Amino acid sequence: MAGCKNSINSTTTEPLKRCGLITGGAQYVGEAIARTIAGAGAKVMIADLNGDKAAATVEKIAAETSQEVLGMKCDVTDELDWKKLRCKDCRGIRWNKYAV
């Protein structure tokens, strides 16, 4: 997919052309949300306090869904981490525009 859109047509059978930013996405509910969104065809960015766990979850979900899944260490209570995440340009995707 060359880019993302803010909306989808839920009546089509085409893969989703969306991106999801999942904070706390390395495990439990966040991981399940990331897996579901990736499984529906969206690109996913996992941001989590535990960068190593985020990386492992990225590998697992990418292998299961064949979707582009990226991850990084991020403390959502830290303004500097938000700035890093917001400015992170992951293969042409500005994550600050596409959040779930």
Side-chain angles (χ1 to χ4, degrees):
M1 288 184 277
C4 299
K5 297 181 180 180
N6 283 326
S7 62
I8 62 166
N9 180 350
S10 61
T11 61
T12 183
T13 58
E14 290 182 38
L16 296 177
K17 292 185 174 97
R18 289 182 38 169
C19 303
L21 167 60
I22 312 300
T23 58
Q27 57 189 347
Y28 307 119
V29 174
E31 180 181 356
I33 292 168
R35 180 176 287 105
T36 299
I37 291 171
K43 296 178 182 182
V44 174
M45 165 61 91
I46 293 173
D48 199 276
L49 273 172
N50 187 332
D52 293 336
K53 181 69 175 169
T57 302
V58 162
E59 294 298 321
K60 187 168 39 171
I61 293 174
E64 291 171 5
T65 65
S66 299
Q67 290 298 318
E68 183 175 7
V69 184
L70 305 170
M72 67 178 283
K73 181 183 184 308
C74 179
D75 179 352
V76 298
T77 67
D78 184 333
E79 186 176 346
L80 183 58
D81 275 6
W82 269 113
K83 287 179 181 179
K84 288 177 188 175
L85 180 64
R86 192 178 72 212
C87 295
K88 180 124 176 125
D89 186 1
C90 299
R91 299 183 188 144
I93 300 165
R94 286 280 180 195
W95 293 99
N96 61 328
K97 293 181 184 176
Y98 308 99
V100 174

